[in-house]
Amino acid sequence: MDYSLMQEYWWFLISLLGALLVFLLFVQGGQSLIFSLGKEPMDRKMLVNSTGRKWEFTFTTLVTFGGAFFASFPLFYSTSFGGAYWVWMLVLLCFVIQAVSYEYQNKHGNVWGSKTYQVFLFLNGVLGPLLLGVAVSTFFTGSYFTVNKASILDLTGGSQVISQWVPYKGFMLHGLEAVFNPWNLVLGVAVFFLSRTTALLYFINNIKDVRLHTETNRRLIKNAGAFLVFFVAYIGFLLTTKGFAVDPATGTVSMESFKYLNNFLQMPVVLALFLIGVVLVLFGIGKTVMNKNFIKGIWFEGTGVVLTVLALFLVAGWNNTSYYPSLHDLQSSLTIRNSSSSPFTLKAMSIVSLLIPFVLAYIFYAWRALDLRKITKQEMSDSSNASY
């Protein structure tokens, strides 16, 4: 495997981790429904325990996603995590209060009460998907930074920082300027409603309760409809906007009309993944809505989410495309060629990556073990069965 192929390979792995993370955000989506769906304390207890049994999967995938990005494309990590740190600090804060809330809401001596921690879970459920969606959208819309690799050799006493964030309209916002791009917010809202849609399908599959089953089906139509509106709008924008193309010979970045549409057309396998994913998402939602006894929509919709998001990530980085464009200096834009680790590092990590199927197998085993019995009111009435 030569260097360029390893770069492509690691962008695929990063994309797959990102796709899995978006699917697992159903935990956050479920938390955002705690108070609107859980009218009674017992209802909220079932909802919290349902998401609580899976929250570690989301958190671990987020950490793995960040770690893999750091190891394979360190220049992105130093540029984005070091420059747009307000966005990433807010995301981290959201997930920290989530972990604290699950751990302490029912601890003896909790003077704040369990509802306070449930409010924290609600905030994580709203802000987590929204901020992650906004951050991912900058892969297509760009950010405000400069990159100067030669600065590390500056021995005159000047700054030896390679990547620097620059002010946005005179204000140093360190990533928060992304929320002022309406298309970033469109994707953020789409991810938020997608997380709620997936969560509703998950509750239908995981909780056995007639009233909650009826209520989740009713809310599924509204949340799925909102997701589709924002998702279709963003895809329409993506296929018609100019993209950041890279000359493979010189590495020069330039604007290209319909770049992301061209990427889909020039990579038919990726286009097929995207279309199959969309069909599976629609099938999982539609089948559940039309058949009240169908509870396996989460697996069709979830598989579709992974395939669709995987295709979008691949379109952002493959086919000579800048996956992290700079709006301040076009030639500072990051690509999988100019931001990756050394050949030795990528080769060593590629060997380690062969263990991924075993990790996925363990996750599948653990998931099944946690879902052997559906969550019911009777089970939650027994404190030994209620973890949260």
Side-chain angles (χ1 to χ4, degrees):
M1 186 182 295
D2 62 19
Y3 189 30
S4 61
L5 186 56
M6 284 191 292
Q7 291 169 326
E8 302 275 354
Y9 172 69
W10 271 98
W11 183 254
F12 172 81
L13 292 184
I14 293 296
S15 301
L16 180 59
L17 285 171
L20 290 171
L21 176 61
V22 172
F23 163 64
L24 291 171
L25 286 177
F26 74 81
V27 173
Q28 278 60 42
Q31 292 168 184
S32 71
L33 293 162
I34 288 176
F35 298 109
S36 59
L37 191 59
K39 300 297 185 181
E40 303 294 334
M42 180 54 72
D43 293 339
R44 288 196 292 273
K45 190 172 185 178
M46 287 192 292
L47 295 173
V48 170
N49 275 270
S50 180
T51 56
R53 295 178 181 181
K54 302 297 191 304
W55 76 268
E56 292 97 337
F57 291 118
T58 309
F59 191 84
T60 303
T61 304
L62 175 65
V63 173
T64 305
F65 176 74
F69 234 139
F70 169 72
S72 54
F73 300 99
L75 190 53
F76 165 79
Y77 195 89
S78 65
T79 301
S80 181
F81 287 72
Y85 54 76
W86 281 122
V87 172
W88 295 115
M89 287 295 289
L90 286 173
V91 171
L92 179 61
L93 176 62
C94 287
F95 281 87
V96 167
I97 63 174
Q98 178 199 39
V100 170
S101 298
Y102 278 120
E103 183 67 24
Y104 289 101
Q105 62 178 303
N106 289 321
K107 287 283 187 180
H108 293 295
N110 172 17
V111 296
W112 287 1
S114 61
K115 190 169 183 178
T116 300
Y117 288 108
Q118 289 174 359
V119 171
F120 289 162
L121 291 177
F122 172 79
L123 292 175
N124 171 260
V126 175
L127 295 178
L130 181 65
L131 291 173
L132 286 173
V134 168
V136 169
S137 180
T138 60
F139 284 11
F140 301 102
T141 60
S143 299
Y144 293 85
F145 63 88
T146 61
V147 175
N148 181 15
K149 294 183 179 181
S151 63
I152 199 172
L153 302 176
D154 185 2
L155 303 179
T156 63
S159 173
Q160 292 180 302
V161 177
I162 295 177
S163 306
Q164 290 186 330
W165 218 253
V166 297
Y168 170 76
K169 296 184 178 180
F171 297 94
M172 184 62 77
L173 300 179
H174 287 292
L176 293 180
E177 68 274 3
V179 301
F180 295 108
N181 185 320
W183 288 112
N184 292 344
L185 287 175
V186 167
L187 184 61
V189 174
V191 173
F192 169 68
F193 280 111
L194 173 62
S195 70
R196 287 167 67 96
T197 300
T198 310
L200 291 167
L201 292 169
Y202 171 71
F203 288 148
I204 290 171
N205 179 263
N206 189 245
I207 300 176
K208 190 175 182 180
D209 184 82
V210 175
R211 196 198 69 79
L212 275 180
H213 188 91
T214 302
E215 190 66 19
T216 50
N217 269 286
R218 186 176 67 85
R219 292 176 182 272
L220 179 61
I221 299 175
K222 296 179 181 179
N223 283 276
F227 157 67
L228 290 174
V229 168
F230 285 97
F231 178 72
V232 170
Y234 192 82
I235 294 301
F237 156 74
L238 195 64
L239 296 180
T240 57
T241 191
K242 290 184 177 180
F244 300 83
V246 183
D247 187 327
T250 63
T252 303
V253 181
S254 60
M255 302 303 297
E256 178 182 316
S257 299
F258 304 103
K259 171 59 178 171
Y260 302 109
L261 174 61
N262 293 335
N263 282 359
F264 273 122
L265 297 177
Q266 293 166 13
M267 297 187 293
V269 174
V270 176
L271 176 60
L273 285 177
F274 178 79
L275 295 177
I276 292 171
V278 170
V279 170
L280 287 174
V281 169
L282 294 176
F283 176 81
I285 295 171
K287 180 74 171 179
T288 306
V289 170
M290 292 185 292
N291 186 351
K292 305 302 181 183
N293 297 318
F294 184 70
I295 65 171
K296 296 183 178 180
I298 176 68
W299 302 120
F300 293 97
E301 189 261 6
T303 302
V305 168
V306 172
L307 293 179
T308 302
V309 177
L310 173 62
L312 290 175
F313 268 100
L314 294 179
V315 162
W318 279 2
N319 198 41
N320 301 314
T321 309
S322 170
Y323 71 85
Y324 202 54
S326 172
L327 298 176
H328 179 76
D329 175 21
L330 203 58
Q331 302 315 312
S332 292
S333 301
L334 303 186
T335 71
I336 62 175
R337 306 298 181 208
N338 66 17
S339 65
S340 68
S341 293
S342 66
F344 174 79
T345 302
L346 291 183
K347 182 178 180 180
M349 292 195 306
S350 297
I351 296 173
V352 176
S353 71
L354 298 177
L355 297 174
I356 290 177
F358 298 98
V359 176
L360 293 177
Y362 172 75
I363 292 174
F364 176 76
Y365 170 79
W367 187 296
R368 282 183 58 86
L370 290 170
D371 281 357
L372 286 177
R373 291 188 301 176
K374 304 296 183 184
I375 290 179
T376 63
K377 288 182 179 178
Q378 182 179 0
E379 181 190 13
M380 292 297 101
S381 298
D382 184 351
S383 59
S384 63
N385 293 325
S387 302
Y388 306 102

